[in-house]
mmCIF file of all heavy atoms in Angstrom:
data_model
loop_
_atom_site.group_PDB
_atom_site.id
_atom_site.type_symbol
_atom_site.label_atom_id
_atom_site.label_comp_id
_atom_site.label_asym_id
_atom_site.label_seq_id
_atom_site.Cartn_x
_atom_site.Cartn_y
_atom_site.Cartn_z
ATOM 1 N N LEU V 161 65.322 54.800 -84.940
ATOM 2 C CA LEU V 161 63.850 55.190 -84.774
ATOM 3 C C LEU V 161 63.654 55.717 -83.361
ATOM 4 O O LEU V 161 62.930 56.696 -83.146
ATOM 5 C CB LEU V 161 63.029 53.991 -84.949
ATOM 6 C CG LEU V 161 62.888 53.444 -86.384
ATOM 7 C CD1 LEU V 161 62.019 52.188 -86.429
ATOM 8 C CD2 LEU V 161 62.273 54.448 -87.406
ATOM 9 N N ASP V 162 64.314 55.169 -82.356
ATOM 10 C CA ASP V 162 64.259 55.667 -80.952
ATOM 11 C C ASP V 162 64.837 57.045 -81.036
ATOM 12 O O ASP V 162 64.221 57.966 -80.361
ATOM 13 C CB ASP V 162 65.188 54.843 -80.221
ATOM 14 C CG ASP V 162 64.965 55.092 -78.650
ATOM 15 O OD1 ASP V 162 63.803 55.448 -78.318
ATOM 16 O OD2 ASP V 162 65.801 54.951 -77.758
ATOM 17 N N HIS V 163 65.841 57.302 -81.748
ATOM 18 C CA HIS V 163 66.393 58.645 -81.796
ATOM 19 C C HIS V 163 65.546 59.619 -82.578
ATOM 20 O O HIS V 163 65.334 60.750 -82.129
ATOM 21 C CB HIS V 163 67.866 58.573 -82.500
ATOM 22 C CG HIS V 163 68.557 59.907 -82.587
ATOM 23 N ND1 HIS V 163 69.176 60.511 -81.435
ATOM 24 C CD2 HIS V 163 68.936 60.705 -83.618
ATOM 25 C CE1 HIS V 163 69.692 61.604 -81.696
ATOM 26 N NE2 HIS V 163 69.597 61.743 -83.028
ATOM 27 N N LEU V 164 64.826 59.154 -83.681
ATOM 28 C CA LEU V 164 64.064 59.929 -84.429
ATOM 29 C C LEU V 164 62.810 60.235 -83.784
ATOM 30 O O LEU V 164 62.274 61.463 -83.948
ATOM 31 C CB LEU V 164 63.840 59.273 -85.749
ATOM 32 C CG LEU V 164 63.017 59.951 -86.782
ATOM 33 C CD1 LEU V 164 63.769 61.243 -87.321
ATOM 34 C CD2 LEU V 164 62.681 59.037 -88.029
ATOM 35 N N SER V 165 62.249 59.420 -82.938
ATOM 36 C CA SER V 165 61.009 59.616 -82.357
ATOM 37 C C SER V 165 60.917 60.888 -81.510
ATOM 38 O O SER V 165 59.833 61.525 -81.343
ATOM 39 C CB SER V 165 60.621 58.478 -81.468
ATOM 40 O OG SER V 165 61.511 58.336 -80.348
ATOM 41 N N THR V 166 62.026 61.378 -81.002
ATOM 42 C CA THR V 166 61.936 62.602 -80.245
ATOM 43 C C THR V 166 62.315 63.793 -81.087
ATOM 44 O O THR V 166 62.428 64.991 -80.519
ATOM 45 C CB THR V 166 63.099 62.549 -79.091
ATOM 46 O OG1 THR V 166 64.393 62.485 -79.830
ATOM 47 C CG2 THR V 166 62.967 61.397 -78.165
ATOM 48 N N ARG V 167 62.375 63.598 -82.374
ATOM 49 C CA ARG V 167 62.754 64.751 -83.268
ATOM 50 C C ARG V 167 61.685 65.001 -84.259
ATOM 51 O O ARG V 167 61.879 65.667 -85.271
ATOM 52 C CB ARG V 167 64.109 64.502 -83.889
ATOM 53 C CG ARG V 167 65.174 64.857 -82.986
ATOM 54 C CD ARG V 167 66.562 64.074 -83.315
ATOM 55 N NE ARG V 167 67.651 64.640 -82.537
ATOM 56 C CZ ARG V 167 67.775 64.394 -81.329
ATOM 57 N NH1 ARG V 167 67.070 63.505 -80.617
ATOM 58 N NH2 ARG V 167 68.848 64.903 -80.621
ATOM 59 N N LEU V 168 60.566 64.383 -84.174
ATOM 60 C CA LEU V 168 59.474 64.611 -85.087
ATOM 61 C C LEU V 168 58.954 66.061 -84.642
ATOM 62 O O LEU V 168 58.556 66.319 -83.583
ATOM 63 C CB LEU V 168 58.268 63.616 -84.895
ATOM 64 C CG LEU V 168 58.603 62.178 -85.453
ATOM 65 C CD1 LEU V 168 57.446 61.226 -85.152
ATOM 66 C CD2 LEU V 168 58.871 62.111 -86.949
ATOM 67 N N VAL V 169 58.657 66.861 -85.738
ATOM 68 C CA VAL V 169 58.149 68.112 -85.587
ATOM 69 C C VAL V 169 56.881 68.386 -86.304
ATOM 70 O O VAL V 169 56.605 67.663 -87.323
ATOM 71 C CB VAL V 169 59.251 69.228 -85.966
ATOM 72 C CG1 VAL V 169 60.334 69.175 -85.011
ATOM 73 C CG2 VAL V 169 59.659 69.058 -87.431
ATOM 74 N N ARG V 170 56.090 69.355 -85.908
ATOM 75 C CA ARG V 170 54.806 69.592 -86.580
ATOM 76 C C ARG V 170 55.065 70.397 -87.943
ATOM 77 O O ARG V 170 55.079 71.621 -88.009
ATOM 78 C CB ARG V 170 53.967 70.452 -85.648
ATOM 79 C CG ARG V 170 52.468 70.485 -86.194
ATOM 80 C CD ARG V 170 51.645 71.227 -85.107
ATOM 81 N NE ARG V 170 51.576 70.562 -83.815
ATOM 82 C CZ ARG V 170 50.693 69.658 -83.509
ATOM 83 N NH1 ARG V 170 49.916 69.226 -84.282
ATOM 84 N NH2 ARG V 170 50.779 69.092 -82.321
ATOM 85 N N GLY V 171 55.448 69.719 -88.991
ATOM 86 C CA GLY V 171 55.775 70.329 -90.174
ATOM 87 C C GLY V 171 54.651 69.918 -91.200
ATOM 88 O O GLY V 171 54.979 70.226 -92.425
ATOM 89 N N TRP V 172 53.537 69.402 -90.978
ATOM 90 C CA TRP V 172 52.524 68.877 -91.825
ATOM 91 C C TRP V 172 51.220 69.387 -91.672
ATOM 92 O O TRP V 172 50.115 68.916 -91.894
ATOM 93 C CB TRP V 172 52.439 67.235 -91.769
ATOM 94 C CG TRP V 172 53.671 66.568 -92.042
ATOM 95 C CD1 TRP V 172 54.760 66.468 -91.096
ATOM 96 C CD2 TRP V 172 54.074 65.928 -93.108
ATOM 97 N NE1 TRP V 172 55.686 65.610 -91.663
ATOM 98 C CE2 TRP V 172 55.381 65.278 -92.973
ATOM 99 C CE3 TRP V 172 53.539 65.583 -94.390
ATOM 100 C CZ2 TRP V 172 56.049 64.542 -93.923
ATOM 101 C CZ3 TRP V 172 54.254 64.863 -95.416
ATOM 102 C CH2 TRP V 172 55.461 64.493 -95.047
ATOM 103 N N THR V 173 51.130 70.750 -91.255
ATOM 104 C CA THR V 173 49.922 71.237 -90.966
ATOM 105 C C THR V 173 48.792 71.368 -92.124
ATOM 106 O O THR V 173 47.618 71.366 -91.883
ATOM 107 C CB THR V 173 49.979 72.752 -90.508
ATOM 108 O OG1 THR V 173 50.830 73.504 -91.488
ATOM 109 C CG2 THR V 173 50.801 72.782 -89.050
ATOM 110 N N HIS V 174 49.350 71.265 -93.342
ATOM 111 C CA HIS V 174 48.473 71.192 -94.445
ATOM 112 C C HIS V 174 47.747 69.860 -94.591
ATOM 113 O O HIS V 174 46.669 69.905 -95.337
ATOM 114 C CB HIS V 174 49.223 71.594 -95.854
ATOM 115 C CG HIS V 174 50.216 70.405 -96.145
ATOM 116 N ND1 HIS V 174 51.362 70.262 -95.364
ATOM 117 C CD2 HIS V 174 50.301 69.462 -97.083
ATOM 118 C CE1 HIS V 174 52.015 69.237 -95.941
ATOM 119 N NE2 HIS V 174 51.326 68.749 -96.931
ATOM 120 N N LEU V 175 48.052 69.012 -93.871
ATOM 121 C CA LEU V 175 47.506 67.688 -93.875
ATOM 122 C C LEU V 175 46.609 67.478 -92.542
ATOM 123 O O LEU V 175 46.081 66.342 -92.323
ATOM 124 C CB LEU V 175 48.478 66.455 -94.067
ATOM 125 C CG LEU V 175 49.141 66.526 -95.383
ATOM 126 C CD1 LEU V 175 50.229 65.396 -95.384
ATOM 127 C CD2 LEU V 175 48.256 66.286 -96.549
ATOM 128 N N GLU V 176 46.542 68.399 -91.768
ATOM 129 C CA GLU V 176 45.878 68.217 -90.490
ATOM 130 C C GLU V 176 44.417 67.951 -90.743
ATOM 131 O O GLU V 176 43.702 68.552 -91.596
ATOM 132 C CB GLU V 176 46.029 69.611 -89.658
ATOM 133 C CG GLU V 176 45.717 69.277 -88.213
ATOM 134 C CD GLU V 176 46.144 70.513 -87.421
ATOM 135 O OE1 GLU V 176 47.317 70.909 -87.539
ATOM 136 O OE2 GLU V 176 45.311 71.005 -86.581
ATOM 137 N N ARG V 177 43.856 66.975 -89.908
ATOM 138 C CA ARG V 177 42.432 66.593 -90.157
ATOM 139 C C ARG V 177 41.660 66.715 -88.859
ATOM 140 O O ARG V 177 40.727 66.020 -88.618
ATOM 141 C CB ARG V 177 42.433 65.138 -90.672
ATOM 142 C CG ARG V 177 43.015 64.953 -91.959
ATOM 143 C CD ARG V 177 42.724 63.607 -92.576
ATOM 144 N NE ARG V 177 43.539 62.604 -92.072
ATOM 145 C CZ ARG V 177 43.142 61.626 -91.176
ATOM 146 N NH1 ARG V 177 41.905 61.608 -90.877
ATOM 147 N NH2 ARG V 177 43.910 60.757 -90.751
ATOM 148 N N GLN V 178 42.072 67.781 -87.969
ATOM 149 C CA GLN V 178 41.354 67.949 -86.708
ATOM 150 C C GLN V 178 40.540 69.266 -86.858
ATOM 151 O O GLN V 178 40.339 69.774 -85.803
ATOM 152 C CB GLN V 178 42.297 67.874 -85.517
ATOM 153 C CG GLN V 178 42.814 66.511 -85.328
ATOM 154 C CD GLN V 178 43.658 66.467 -84.021
ATOM 155 O OE1 GLN V 178 44.212 67.449 -83.618
ATOM 156 N NE2 GLN V 178 43.627 65.297 -83.336
ATOM 157 N N LYS V 179 40.175 69.786 -88.003
ATOM 158 C CA LYS V 179 39.379 70.888 -88.126
ATOM 159 C C LYS V 179 37.939 70.568 -87.876
ATOM 160 O O LYS V 179 37.511 69.481 -88.064
ATOM 161 C CB LYS V 179 39.579 71.555 -89.399
ATOM 162 C CG LYS V 179 41.089 71.727 -89.930
ATOM 163 C CD LYS V 179 41.500 73.166 -89.815
ATOM 164 C CE LYS V 179 42.723 73.480 -90.512
ATOM 165 N NZ LYS V 179 43.900 73.195 -90.000
ATOM 166 N N GLY V 180 37.196 71.545 -87.437
ATOM 167 C CA GLY V 180 35.809 71.422 -87.301
ATOM 168 C C GLY V 180 35.071 71.699 -88.584
ATOM 169 O O GLY V 180 35.599 71.803 -89.653
ATOM 170 N N GLY V 181 33.695 71.622 -88.447
ATOM 171 C CA GLY V 181 32.949 71.862 -89.745
ATOM 172 C C GLY V 181 32.136 70.716 -90.047
ATOM 173 O O GLY V 181 32.315 69.537 -89.699
ATOM 174 N N ILE V 182 31.058 70.961 -90.912
ATOM 175 C CA ILE V 182 30.234 69.814 -91.342
ATOM 176 C C ILE V 182 30.877 68.854 -92.153
ATOM 177 O O ILE V 182 31.604 69.133 -93.166
ATOM 178 C CB ILE V 182 29.009 70.600 -92.274
ATOM 179 C CG1 ILE V 182 28.224 71.521 -91.401
ATOM 180 C CG2 ILE V 182 28.077 69.480 -92.791
ATOM 181 C CD1 ILE V 182 27.167 72.350 -92.206
ATOM 182 N N GLY V 183 30.693 67.593 -91.738
ATOM 183 C CA GLY V 183 31.256 66.450 -92.396
ATOM 184 C C GLY V 183 32.703 66.217 -91.945
ATOM 185 O O GLY V 183 33.315 65.330 -92.415
ATOM 186 N N LEU V 184 33.310 67.068 -91.149
ATOM 187 C CA LEU V 184 34.711 66.976 -90.783
ATOM 188 C C LEU V 184 34.799 66.784 -89.303
ATOM 189 O O LEU V 184 35.908 66.592 -88.756
ATOM 190 C CB LEU V 184 35.461 68.206 -91.168
ATOM 191 C CG LEU V 184 35.591 68.491 -92.651
ATOM 192 C CD1 LEU V 184 36.262 69.744 -93.008
ATOM 193 C CD2 LEU V 184 36.471 67.258 -93.286
ATOM 194 N N ARG V 185 33.684 66.742 -88.464
ATOM 195 C CA ARG V 185 33.759 66.680 -87.070
ATOM 196 C C ARG V 185 34.052 65.177 -86.775
ATOM 197 O O ARG V 185 33.783 64.318 -87.522
ATOM 198 C CB ARG V 185 32.433 67.117 -86.405
ATOM 199 C CG ARG V 185 32.258 68.570 -86.554
ATOM 200 C CD ARG V 185 30.980 68.879 -85.721
ATOM 201 N NE ARG V 185 30.729 70.388 -85.827
ATOM 202 C CZ ARG V 185 29.938 70.834 -86.730
ATOM 203 N NH1 ARG V 185 29.360 70.176 -87.544
ATOM 204 N NH2 ARG V 185 29.663 72.293 -86.773
#
């Protein structure tokens, strides 16, 4: 896990929940 923690990459953009908009702020 220690080794893996440095190797997480942003490969899940379809699940991102930091978009703006009504009801999503």
Side-chain angles (χ1 to χ4, degrees):
L161 292 177
D162 189 33
H163 184 69
L164 183 63
S165 63
T166 60
R167 283 158 168 78
L168 290 176
V169 294
R170 194 176 296 275
W172 299 80
T173 52
H174 64 291
L175 295 174
E176 194 168 309
R177 292 191 285 113
Q178 287 187 334
K179 308 258 193 286
I182 297 171
L184 294 174
R185 293 187 182 92

